[in-house]
């Protein structure tokens, strides 16, 4: 009797994890490191991912939502990465914002002086000043540049999280890339905090039209964790999550009701309005209860 090879039985794959599971793996709040203080002999040690890295300035209209003056961006970035060290001129401001340096303040100053001498030798004094001023005078679209606690405009939105003393804050990132950011803030003071309680944050399909597009749910990590920074190494109040305009998200906490929200959609100021003789938009209701 010929041998017969038993047909291998394929084990069924485990279903993909959904945001409405029991939430056993939740993000726990971590102790936050204390920021270092400045001093004349302070060792300057910066990390590329301690704060949003400056991107090359892209010339944008000042009316663009999310656009900021590069000078302002550099000032805030330098305060974060070089606490207690004040740039003495525009060249040092630009150099410190775009460079990572480890060493004492004296070594930092000496390095910047050499870099400035080299630039002047190559371009001349006046041209060097013009180049630096042009760089700092441009507008950029940074993603992850947090507003101050009391800053308000039509693009910053804060909503309290039930049964906590914290709120979710949405603030604009790059308009061209349709990027929005989320962080957690103290509801009373407005100060940003890192992961204040156990939670999971998920991006989910639009619950009104889950059949459109690709019905994928995905757990979202902070920008810092996505860049390999350990939770305990994130600077206090710097944690943030990258979202997209129009994205629907759900915040899950153990034993608490889910918190669902949809990110606002910004209209680009340079969007060309279609003339009525070219296109007519019919006003049908979007949702019928």
């Amino acid at each position: 009797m010929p041998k017969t090879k038993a047909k291998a039985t394929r084990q069924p794959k485990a279903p993909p994890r959904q945001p409405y599971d029991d939430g056993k793996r939740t993000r726990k709040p971590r102790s936050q490191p204390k920021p270092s203080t400045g001093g004349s002999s302070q060792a300057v040690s910066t990390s590329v991912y301690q704060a949003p890295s400056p991107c090359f300035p892209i010339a944008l209209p000042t009316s663009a939502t999310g656009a900021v003056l590069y000078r302002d961006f550099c000032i805030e970035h330098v305060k974060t990465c070089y606490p207690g060290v004040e740039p003495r001129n525009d060249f040092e401001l630009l150099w410190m914002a775009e460079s990572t340096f480890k060493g004492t303040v004296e070594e930092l100053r000496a390095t910047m002086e050499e870099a400035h001498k080299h630039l002047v030798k190559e371009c001349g004094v006046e041209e060097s000043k013009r180049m630096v001023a042009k760089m700092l005078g441009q507008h950029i679209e940074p993603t992850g540049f947090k507003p101050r606690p009391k800053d308000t405009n039509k693009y910053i939105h804060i909503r309290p999280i039930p049964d906590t003393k914290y709120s979710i804050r949405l603030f604009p990132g790059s308009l061209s890339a349709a990027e929005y950011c989320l962080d957690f803030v103290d509801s009373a003071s407005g100060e940003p905090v890192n992961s204040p309680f156990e939670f999971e944050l998920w991006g989910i399909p639009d619950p009104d039209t889950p059949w459109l597009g690709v019905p994928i749910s995905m757990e979202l990590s902070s920008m810092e964790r996505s860049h390999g920074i350990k939770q305990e190494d994130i600077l206090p109040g710097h944690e943030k999550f990258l979202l997209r305009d129009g994205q629907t998200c759900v915040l899950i906490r153990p034993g608490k009701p889910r918190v669902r929200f949809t990110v606002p959609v910004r209209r680009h100021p340079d969007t060309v309005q279609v003339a009525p003789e070219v296109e007519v938009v019919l006003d049908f209701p979007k949702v019928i209860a």
Side-chain angles (χ1 to χ4, degrees), residues 4-240:
T4 59
K5 191 173 183 179
K7 188 176 182 180
T9 58
R10 180 175 297 176
Q11 296 296 326
K13 294 183 179 180
R17 189 162 172 265
Q18 296 297 320
Y20 304 115
D21 289 350
D22 56 7
K24 292 181 180 178
R25 296 188 298 108
T26 52
R27 185 178 287 103
K28 297 182 179 180
R30 304 294 183 94
S31 58
Q32 301 181 0
K34 295 181 180 180
S36 59
T37 56
S40 60
S41 60
Q42 171 194 355
V44 178
S45 178
T46 66
S47 170
V48 175
Y49 300 118
Q50 282 187 338
S53 299
C55 54
F56 187 80
I58 303 174
L60 295 168
T62 56
S63 60
T65 54
V68 299
L69 186 65
Y70 192 48
R71 176 185 294 276
D72 295 340
F73 180 82
C74 290
I75 290 173
E76 294 301 320
H77 188 71
V78 168
K79 286 180 180 179
T80 298
C81 291
Y82 298 88
V85 183
E86 190 75 21
R88 296 173 296 186
N89 51 56
D90 282 354
F91 174 82
E92 290 191 355
L93 173 63
L94 186 62
W95 192 96
M96 293 169 69
E98 297 188 342
S99 304
T100 300
F101 183 85
K102 292 184 179 181
T104 65
V105 174
E106 288 76 11
E107 291 170 338
L108 171 64
R109 300 288 192 198
T111 300
M112 290 191 293
E113 287 176 1
E114 285 299 317
H116 186 248
K117 288 179 182 178
H118 179 75
L119 178 64
V120 171
K121 182 179 179 180
E122 293 292 325
C123 304
V125 176
E126 294 304 319
E127 179 63 14
S128 299
K129 289 182 179 179
R130 188 195 67 80
M131 291 170 58
V132 171
K134 182 178 180 181
M135 290 283 285
L136 294 175
Q138 295 189 75
H139 282 77
I140 63 169
E141 284 188 324
T143 292
F145 186 56
K146 291 196 177 191
R148 289 179 287 269
K150 300 302 180 182
D151 284 354
T152 58
N153 60 48
K154 65 179 181 179
Y155 305 110
I156 301 174
H157 301 275
I158 302 175
R159 297 292 184 270
I161 303 171
D163 303 320
T164 74
K165 63 176 184 178
Y166 302 102
S167 296
I168 286 176
R169 178 174 65 173
L170 300 180
F171 56 95
S174 169
L175 174 62
S176 301
E179 293 175 341
Y180 238 96
C181 290
L182 174 150
D183 67 354
F184 297 98
V185 298
D186 184 285
S187 297
S189 66
E191 291 290 339
V193 297
N194 297 346
S195 295
F197 45 74
E198 295 185 15
F199 73 93
E200 291 180 355
L201 181 65
W202 286 74
I204 63 173
D206 185 341
D208 292 326
T209 56
W211 50 86
L212 297 179
V214 182
I216 295 178
S217 297
M218 178 182 298
E219 185 175 6
L220 305 176
S221 298
S222 69
M223 293 176 68
E224 290 73 21
R225 294 296 299 275
S226 297
H227 282 90
I229 302 177
K230 296 180 180 179
Q231 183 68 32
E232 59 269 21
D233 293 335
I234 301 175
L235 293 179
H238 277 240
E239 185 180 42
K240 54 201 161 290

